[in-house]
Amino acid sequence: MSAGTHKRGVETYVSKALALRERLFYYAFSRGWGFIMTWAHRVTGVAVVGFMFFHIITLSGLYTPARFASKMQFLDNVLFAFLEWTLAIPVIFHALNGGRLILYELFRIRNDRQMIRWVLGLSAFYVFSLALFMLMGDQQVTAGFFWFVVVVAGLISAFVISRKLWPTGNARLWKLQRISGAFLLPMVSGHFFFMHLTYQAGHDVNTILTRVSHLGIKLVDSAFVIVVFFHAGFGLSTIIGDYAEDKRVRTALRFAVVVILSIFAYAGAKLVISL
């Protein structure tokens, strides 16, 4: 490759990046950063749904522990660890920005600039803290105590939102979407952090099987799977409603979402209960 060709390739990449930045700032100044955050919330939500599918498929290998152990051994490298870490970015952003939307809608906290800074700042703190713990190695945190604290936090969060939201005249599914989001905020961020705070808990087949053999963990994980897929399904249905103009296409897509997510929710719950 000649120097001129390489230069043009770099210039093309830089010009595209600048154009994307200009487009981003155009929408930010014309429609507000809240619009950008809402758009990013949907993109990260779709990305998280894709991860959920991959996660269930990967964990299904636990039915044959030897195959799962072999798969984990294959994925035990620096590249996969980096990909796991980068996945924390859309996960925590989606969770914290969902919290911002709940505060905006239900508690009338409308200082967008300050709230967006909090979301981005806390997301960065979470991601880099996770990186630090991943570099430090297995921290041997007690699973029972950790999940007791996280579940209690999730239930309190869901209870507060339900008390605030349920008497309103909004649709029930919309209410359940917000309540499930409040429950998932500590649950999702806690789950992702725990799996890397205690590396063996998310990667060693014997540790995983020992953990999920407890009745309490089975109940928590089953509820977690069901709530996650309900939340994802409603979110995808909302996106379809906004972008699919034809009623028949909209109905078909929503039906497909319900079927696919129901299958994965059943597979995930069955996996947790049967192990």
Side-chain angles (χ1 to χ4, degrees):
M1 180 184 294
S2 66
T5 303
H6 177 72
K7 185 177 180 181
R8 285 195 295 272
V10 171
E11 288 176 346
T12 301
Y13 176 80
V14 172
S15 63
K16 287 181 178 179
L18 290 175
L20 178 62
R21 180 179 179 275
E22 290 176 0
R23 193 177 301 114
L24 178 67
F25 275 88
Y26 167 76
Y27 281 114
F29 287 114
S30 62
R31 301 191 183 186
W33 281 104
F35 171 81
I36 299 297
M37 295 291 282
T38 300
W39 176 81
H41 188 77
R42 291 184 166 187
V43 171
T44 54
V46 173
V48 172
V49 172
F51 164 70
M52 285 157 43
F53 291 161
F54 175 77
H55 198 46
I56 295 295
I57 293 171
T58 301
L59 290 178
S60 64
L62 289 169
Y63 286 122
T64 53
R67 186 178 68 178
F68 182 83
S70 176
K71 186 181 296 183
M72 287 298 101
Q73 186 177 6
F74 173 75
L75 297 175
D76 187 16
N77 55 67
V78 174
L79 176 60
F80 185 72
F82 177 75
L83 292 175
E84 284 188 307
W85 175 73
T86 56
L87 182 61
I89 298 173
V91 169
I92 192 60
F93 170 82
H94 189 82
L96 291 176
N97 193 57
R100 180 187 71 86
L101 294 175
I102 290 175
L103 291 175
Y104 183 92
E105 293 171 343
L106 302 183
F107 296 91
R108 305 300 178 186
I109 299 178
R110 300 295 176 87
N111 189 338
D112 262 357
R113 185 179 297 273
Q114 183 178 9
M115 293 301 297
I116 290 172
R117 286 175 178 171
W118 272 101
V119 169
L120 297 178
L122 289 175
S123 296
F125 177 77
Y126 178 96
V127 169
F128 287 108
S129 297
L130 181 63
L132 176 62
F133 282 113
M134 290 176 71
L135 291 173
M136 290 172 61
D138 203 340
Q139 303 301 305
Q140 299 296 332
V141 176
T142 304
F145 176 75
F146 181 92
W147 281 110
F148 174 79
V149 173
V150 172
V151 170
V152 168
L155 291 175
I156 291 174
S157 178
F159 177 75
V160 170
I161 297 304
S162 63
R163 287 289 300 271
K164 179 76 174 179
L165 185 61
W166 205 254
T168 66
N170 296 296
R172 288 188 178 183
L173 288 179
W174 187 89
K175 295 176 185 178
L176 290 174
Q177 169 73 351
R178 269 51 181 180
I179 295 170
S180 65
F183 175 71
L184 290 173
L185 175 55
M187 291 291 293
V188 170
S189 55
H191 172 78
F192 208 84
F193 203 81
F194 180 78
M195 292 305 160
H196 297 289
L197 189 66
T198 55
Y199 184 82
Q200 298 298 320
H203 301 79
D204 178 69
V205 62
N206 293 323
T207 304
I208 296 173
L209 291 175
T210 300
R211 184 177 69 86
V212 299
S213 65
H214 296 285
L215 178 60
I217 296 296
K218 287 183 181 293
L219 294 175
V220 169
D221 284 353
S222 299
F224 187 27
V225 168
I226 294 170
V227 174
V228 163
F229 278 100
F230 165 78
H231 189 83
F234 190 91
L236 291 175
S237 177
T238 301
I239 294 174
I240 291 170
D242 289 342
Y243 292 100
E245 297 181 357
D246 187 274
K247 184 177 180 180
R248 290 174 296 181
V249 173
R250 188 166 59 245
T251 301
L253 289 174
R254 283 175 168 169
F255 179 76
V257 164
V258 170
V259 171
I260 294 171
L261 292 187
S262 296
I263 291 172
F264 274 90
Y266 171 78
K270 180 183 177 183
L271 177 66
V272 170
I273 293 172
S274 60
L275 289 176

